Amino acid sequence: MKKSVLFFGALLIIVLGYYFLNNKKDNSQEQVAQEKAQVTEEKVINVGVLQLLSHPALDSIYKGMVEELARQGYEDGKNIRIDLQNAQGEQSNLALMSEKLVSEKNDILVGITTPATLSLANATKDIPIIMAGITYPVEAGLIASEEKPGNNITGVSDRTPIKQQLELMKEIIPNLKKIGLLYTSSEDNSIKQIEEAKKYAAELGLEVKLASIANSNDIQQVTESLASEVQAIFVPIDNTIASAMATVVKVTDKFKIGVFPSADTMVADGGVLGLGVDQYQIGVETAKVIVDVINGKKPADTPIVLANEGVIYLNEAKAQELGIEIPATIKEKAQIVK
Ligand code: TRP
């Protein structure tokens, strides 16, 4: 009898001891998990984005950026918080929104368009600024050089090969002699692209007619007088024109001439053909630079990425509608956007 009490007593102690030990292990595991959660919570990265206005190209850039960040493990609302400010095309909004994004202590800022990035650059010399599709960052005074920006700014340029675009126009339109160059006089980006286009047109023996708009109010009238004088119109990467493609195309349709832009979205919006950049891809490249900077890369020594893959975008329906025959050699290489 005594022996069996001892035996059961010992067994009880062993069982209880085992139970307590295990329980303790569970507790400590739970604690570790909790601590981990706290750490990741602390590590939420705040990204402030400033976009000049909405047009299909810029909206695609933003979408590409957010989706690529998610693919790289940075999901908005989880371990990253993205604050998008849209200035609706107003310069005064840009300044206010830049101040706001800086004072709210974002870890990284993103500028979509040259004016937006210039405004951010004015507001901070410390917080890293990532450029999302800036055509001429050096000429705009944003960075010292594309190889070595030298300050808190780096990112992606959407520059396109303008000379090849003009060559394509020459190949497509029989007896092309006179082209129109339509752009916005207040966009530094466009002025620079038009200077290049003028130079290349001369090299290719094309006569040019320049037509500039001050803002979207005069686009219809300016396009009309230009369209009556030329055989085709080249438009640069220009924010005002990108947001008013419908107006431009309505006029050029009437005159039965084609518009040749440099962005896939502008081709989709009624252009005929463009040698340009996939806007969504600019966003993807921007996200990659953001991740590099999160991982410790310094903008000052991070070279600019050129998003330009020189893809030919063709709006086949528009070409047909205007009776423009696209040579098979070009069609083969083209990506159809509509
Ligand atoms: N590159 C333009 C700028 O620097 C912004 C931009 C990006 C854009 N993609 C575009 C403008 C497509 C017109 C069309 O401001």
Side-chain angles (χ1 to χ4, degrees):
M1 178 74 185
K2 227 182 180 180
K3 248 187 191 169
S4 68
V5 167
L6 263 182
F7 175 74
F8 279 113
L11 195 63
L12 191 67
I13 287 168
I14 289 169
V15 168
L16 280 178
Y18 186 76
Y19 174 77
F20 276 124
L21 268 181
N22 248 359
N23 211 21
K24 196 164 169 223
K25 203 166 92 199
D26 276 358
N27 273 343
S28 62
Q29 266 170 1
E30 217 166 84
Q31 217 172 332
V32 168
Q34 256 170 19
E35 272 163 18
K36 241 192 199 156
Q38 262 166 14
V39 170
T40 34
E41 209 173 297
E42 271 166 25
K43 269 217 203 125
V44 169
I45 294 151
N46 290 299
V47 178
V49 183
L50 186 57
Q51 182 172 331
L52 173 65
L53 77 172
S54 270
H55 61 65
L58 305 184
D59 296 343
S60 280
I61 292 177
Y62 181 73
K63 187 162 182 260
M65 182 193 83
V66 174
E67 290 182 1
E68 178 64 17
L69 280 172
R71 282 190 285 269
Q72 302 243 358
Y74 294 96
E75 229 176 296
D76 189 15
K78 288 193 178 156
N79 49 355
I80 199 166
R81 215 171 286 130
I82 304 174
D83 179 2
L84 170 64
Q85 298 286 315
N86 188 323
Q88 315 287 354
E90 294 291 333
Q91 196 67 36
S92 56
N93 285 346
L94 284 179
L96 287 174
M97 288 170 172
S98 299
E99 290 301 333
K100 178 178 182 291
L101 290 172
V102 169
S103 69
E104 283 171 358
K105 306 230 176 315
N106 280 290
D107 302 297
I108 293 176
L109 298 171
V110 178
I112 306 184
T113 73
T114 303
T117 314
L118 281 167
S119 172
L120 289 172
N122 250 334
T124 178
K125 302 280 176 260
D126 311 312
I127 305 173
I129 299 173
I130 315 301
M131 307 183 283
I134 306 309
T135 319
Y136 289 103
V138 175
E139 288 80 355
L142 284 162
I143 52 172
S145 84
E146 298 203 350
E147 298 71 38
K148 217 170 183 313
N151 56 4
N152 57 329
I153 307 174
T154 188
V156 183
S157 170
D158 59 351
R159 216 164 37 247
T160 59
I162 294 174
K163 189 172 186 189
Q164 278 130 279
Q165 166 87 339
L166 298 185
E167 281 167 350
L168 281 169
M169 287 170 71
K170 225 181 146 180
E171 246 184 287
I172 291 167
I173 304 192
N175 301 316
L176 183 63
K177 294 204 174 58
K178 191 168 181 185
I179 59 167
L181 307 180
L182 178 66
Y183 68 104
T184 308
S185 54
S186 57
E187 290 193 36
D188 291 347
N189 258 334
S190 306
I191 296 170
K192 174 92 173 96
Q193 290 171 81
I194 293 300
E195 273 168 19
E196 299 221 343
K198 247 168 43 186
K199 185 180 83 190
Y200 296 135
E203 284 174 25
L204 296 169
L206 293 169
E207 198 188 321
V208 300
K209 165 107 185 128
L210 291 181
S212 71
I213 57 163
N215 55 52
S216 49
N217 294 336
D218 41 348
I219 207 158
Q220 174 154 357
Q221 199 196 333
V222 172
T223 309
E224 240 163 39
S225 77
L226 179 66
S228 67
E229 283 188 54
V230 297
Q231 293 161 279
I233 293 178
F234 165 82
V235 292
I237 303 172
D238 179 301
N239 289 296
T240 314
I241 295 174
S243 49
M245 273 300 279
T247 314
V248 172
V249 170
K250 214 166 137 198
V251 174
T252 50
D253 276 356
K254 213 168 69 189
F255 286 87
K256 288 231 160 295
I257 63 167
V259 177
F260 294 79
S262 306
D264 57 338
T265 48
M266 292 169 86
V267 176
D269 284 344
V272 173
L273 177 142
L275 180 65
V277 187
D278 179 335
Q279 303 297 308
Y280 184 90
Q281 191 59 29
I282 294 174
V284 168
E285 297 297 333
T286 302
K288 290 180 185 164
V289 180
I290 295 173
V291 172
D292 283 347
V293 170
I294 290 173
N295 291 332
K297 259 203 181 173
K298 296 275 165 284
D301 328 301
T302 306
I304 302 308
V305 177
L306 281 183
N308 164 32
E309 346 75 19
V311 176
I312 298 172
Y313 296 100
L314 169 64
N315 185 335
E316 222 175 6
K318 183 53 81 182
Q320 256 166 22
E321 191 189 317
L322 296 172
I324 297 173
E325 209 167 307
I326 307 293
T329 46
I330 294 177
K331 213 170 179 174
E332 266 165 28
K333 289 183 273 182
Q335 200 167 307
I336 311 293
V337 294
K338 237 185 194 171

